[in-house]
Amino acid sequence: MQDFLSQANIPYVTPENGTAFDDIQLSHTGLHKSSQPAIITLPETASQVAAIVKQCITSGQEFIVRGRGHDCHGRYSASGVVSIDLRKLNSVTISSDKTTATIGGGTQALEYLSVLEKHGLYAPSGVCGEIGYTGWCIVGGLGPLSTPYGIGSDQIVGATVVNSRGDLVEADARLLRGLRGGGGCLAVIVELVVKVYPLQEASLQFARIRYDTTGVVRDAVLNLFTNLGNLLDSQTQPVNLSLEAHYTDRGPGRPHFGLDFVWNGARTEECVAWHEMVKNLGPLRPGASDFALGTTTMRSFVAEITSGLPRVVYGKTHSPSIRRYSPQMAAIFADMAAAMPKTCVGGFATHTLRGDSPSCAAGHPDSVSPYRKPLRVVEILGFGVDEDAASECIEWARVSHDRINESDVLLPESYLALTAPDTINLGAIYGSNLQELEKLKREYDPENVFKHSLPKFL
């Protein structure tokens, strides 16, 4: 492989390069030494990606594709294989009518949003700017704009891929169906064409509302989720509004516990009224601001959230889904907060797909995405600051996951990108769409060339 790469002028590194190799292999969740590849290739063009794939097929070498490498379980890497690192494929091109953007397969979400903003545009995204936008789209894609614009998978309108023969081709309609929700198991996506939207004069209204935890943490969390559940059960939430809960403790100091209030559009009377209702769900954290609304953009919002994340973490995640915040779930959240280890730099957060999203309505793009009904994903982050601290955080996350799995509001569809490998149940996640995805797998990758992918087919 090294001779081929040298002759083709494709950059690469191997473990023999020492720290240079480690610097490239490093991800948000560490080096993952147990799944270290034999070589990391660093293609700079789509044709180079195709050449590497074809060479691997010809020589019988297994390979894995890395987008941004943000997967919490290190599934961007595999032991002894050829790693195809797409991070240099990070171009963003806006269409002449400003309705779509063509992005490289390794484009970071925050990079993408930054380019869009310069062109007076924005797009749905997750809240972490370090993730790969392509990866976010192809496994589902939940975020604060999922209600007005739909999930990430539904933003996809075209793709250029390297297929299972190593050829560079445009995705046809059937392959696009599989790419929308089917992850990376069918092809290497070197370019993705996605929808974009005009940036409004007052793009977003945002407040990170934090509640008081100076007393008994369990009581504070129970009170908030009880009141939040009652509010959402009794009121019709506006399409413009995203409300997501979070509990973290990146101390020293009190835990950060609250709701992210995101309103898509100008600050209307309805926006202000909902902001006041949400602030009144519980006692606010003392000694802080009044958590007033601020006008921002999607890029600035994502940048602010991302700036508060730890650089590197160690541990595991889980992502069970629930229907609603029932009294039992409120109690489970309260127990999770009370039991979270002091060494944990993770916590838990929610991500919502509502019934009034276009992704849950008739007429959504053809896909195998399992996320077509209302759900609330509970992202459980069992992260420690180092490997020694990670063990008790992983155990806390496991126990929390098991508690939610016994709740009265559990749904079968966990969120694939955040589901721990040992708990993935593709039948439960994809439901009736799994049969279609398996059929597409047989059509587009009959030899299972893309075996090191998410979802993984053995």
Side-chain angles (χ1 to χ4, degrees):
M1 177 58 72
Q2 293 185 43
D3 288 343
F4 162 78
L5 293 170
S6 296
Q7 293 171 9
N9 293 317
I10 300 174
Y12 67 90
V13 292
T14 67
E16 286 70 33
N17 294 114
T19 57
F21 178 89
D22 288 347
D23 288 346
I24 292 173
Q25 172 71 356
L26 182 66
S27 73
H28 176 62
T29 53
L31 284 169
H32 298 280
K33 287 285 190 179
S34 62
S35 57
Q36 179 173 285
I39 188 171
I40 300 175
T41 64
L42 302 164
E44 298 171 330
T45 65
S47 59
Q48 287 184 344
V49 176
I52 296 168
V53 171
K54 188 159 286 190
Q55 176 65 21
C56 286
I57 294 170
T58 301
S59 60
Q61 292 179 276
E62 295 185 7
F63 63 90
I64 193 166
V65 179
R66 174 175 179 164
R68 297 304 303 188
H70 202 268
D71 181 78
C72 297
H73 300 277
R75 289 170 290 196
Y76 69 88
S77 186
S79 179
V81 306
V82 175
S83 173
I84 305 176
D85 189 323
L86 301 182
R87 282 178 288 178
K88 291 188 177 182
L89 276 67
N90 61 350
S91 61
V92 178
T93 305
I94 311 299
S95 65
S96 58
D97 61 1
K98 292 192 172 185
T99 61
T100 63
T102 301
I103 65 172
T107 304
Q108 186 189 62
L110 188 54
E111 293 174 341
Y112 171 55
L113 294 173
S114 298
V115 174
L116 291 188
E117 190 168 298
K118 293 175 183 177
H119 289 267
L121 301 167
Y122 75 143
S125 172
V127 297
C128 176
E130 293 180 348
I131 62 174
Y133 195 79
T134 294
W136 177 77
C137 284
I138 62 177
V139 295
L142 297 179
L145 299 182
S146 296
T147 302
Y149 298 128
I151 61 176
S153 294
D154 290 349
Q155 310 309 311
I156 299 172
V157 296
T160 303
V161 306
V162 177
N163 65 20
S164 61
R165 295 183 297 277
D167 299 325
L168 191 63
V169 300
E170 296 298 313
D172 59 22
R174 278 202 45 79
L175 181 54
L176 283 175
R177 181 183 188 185
L179 297 181
R180 296 187 186 109
C185 68
L186 302 176
V188 183
I189 301 174
V190 291
E191 282 189 342
L192 200 64
V193 184
V194 288
K195 300 173 187 175
V196 296
Y197 304 89
L199 187 66
Q200 304 173 50
E201 184 176 348
S203 178
L204 297 180
Q205 310 300 317
F206 170 59
R208 172 154 274 196
I209 303 170
R210 289 179 175 160
Y211 299 93
D212 186 13
T213 55
T214 54
V216 179
V217 166
R218 188 188 187 283
D219 292 346
V221 175
L222 178 62
N223 178 66
L224 186 280
F225 276 103
T226 299
N227 293 339
L228 177 61
N230 290 336
L231 174 66
L232 298 181
D233 286 347
S234 62
Q235 300 278 342
T236 300
Q237 195 172 332
V239 171
N240 304 65
L241 177 60
S242 167
L243 277 179
E244 302 297 1
H246 59 270
Y247 183 93
T248 61
D249 190 355
R250 300 192 178 114
R254 295 186 297 273
H256 292 174
F257 169 53
L259 293 167
D260 282 347
F261 180 105
V262 179
W263 184 274
N264 181 44
R267 189 175 309 179
T268 62
E269 290 183 3
E270 186 179 33
C271 168
V272 173
W274 269 88
H275 178 242
E276 286 301 314
M277 280 193 288
V278 173
K279 283 172 57 178
N280 290 327
L281 289 174
L284 297 178
R285 180 171 176 171
S289 70
D290 61 355
F291 305 106
L293 282 169
T295 299
T296 186
T297 64
M298 191 63 182
R299 181 204 63 80
S300 296
F301 163 70
V302 170
E304 179 178 339
I305 300 300
T306 304
S307 67
L309 300 177
R311 174 66 185 90
V312 178
V313 294
Y314 301 85
K316 271 190 172 184
T317 64
H318 298 276
S319 59
S321 296
I322 58 175
R323 288 193 299 274
R324 52 185 284 270
Y325 300 132
S326 67
Q328 186 190 46
M329 266 310 309
I332 291 173
F333 282 134
D335 290 342
M336 289 169 60
M340 194 172 81
K342 293 300 182 184
T343 55
C344 186
V345 293
F348 59 89
T350 62
H351 306 278
T352 303
L353 178 62
R354 285 168 33 196
D356 50 351
S357 166
S359 294
C360 295
H364 59 70
D366 195 19
S367 79
V368 296
S369 174
Y371 309 115
R372 297 298 179 193
K373 296 179 181 178
L375 54 76
R376 299 184 186 277
V377 173
V378 183
E379 179 183 14
I380 308 171
L381 304 172
F383 290 154
V385 292
D386 54 40
E387 293 180 355
D388 291 336
S391 58
E392 64 175 343
C393 303
I394 291 171
E395 177 62 12
W396 167 81
R398 184 196 66 78
V399 171
S400 299
H401 169 260
D402 291 349
R403 284 285 309 280
I404 294 175
N405 274 357
E406 296 171 355
S407 75
D408 57 353
V409 288
L410 180 71
L411 291 171
E413 307 94 343
S414 67
Y415 190 63
L416 180 62
L418 295 169
T419 301
D422 55 340
T423 64
I424 285 180
N425 182 335
L426 293 182
I429 293 172
Y430 282 96
S432 60
N433 282 338
L434 181 59
Q435 185 175 2
E436 176 63 11
L437 181 55
E438 291 173 334
K439 184 177 179 180
L440 289 165
K441 179 71 172 175
R442 291 191 295 270
E443 289 177 27
Y444 287 94
D445 186 19
E447 301 300 321
N448 201 18
V449 168
F450 306 111
K451 66 177 63 176
H452 297 290
S453 64
L454 186 68
K456 191 181 184 80
F457 290 89
L458 299 178

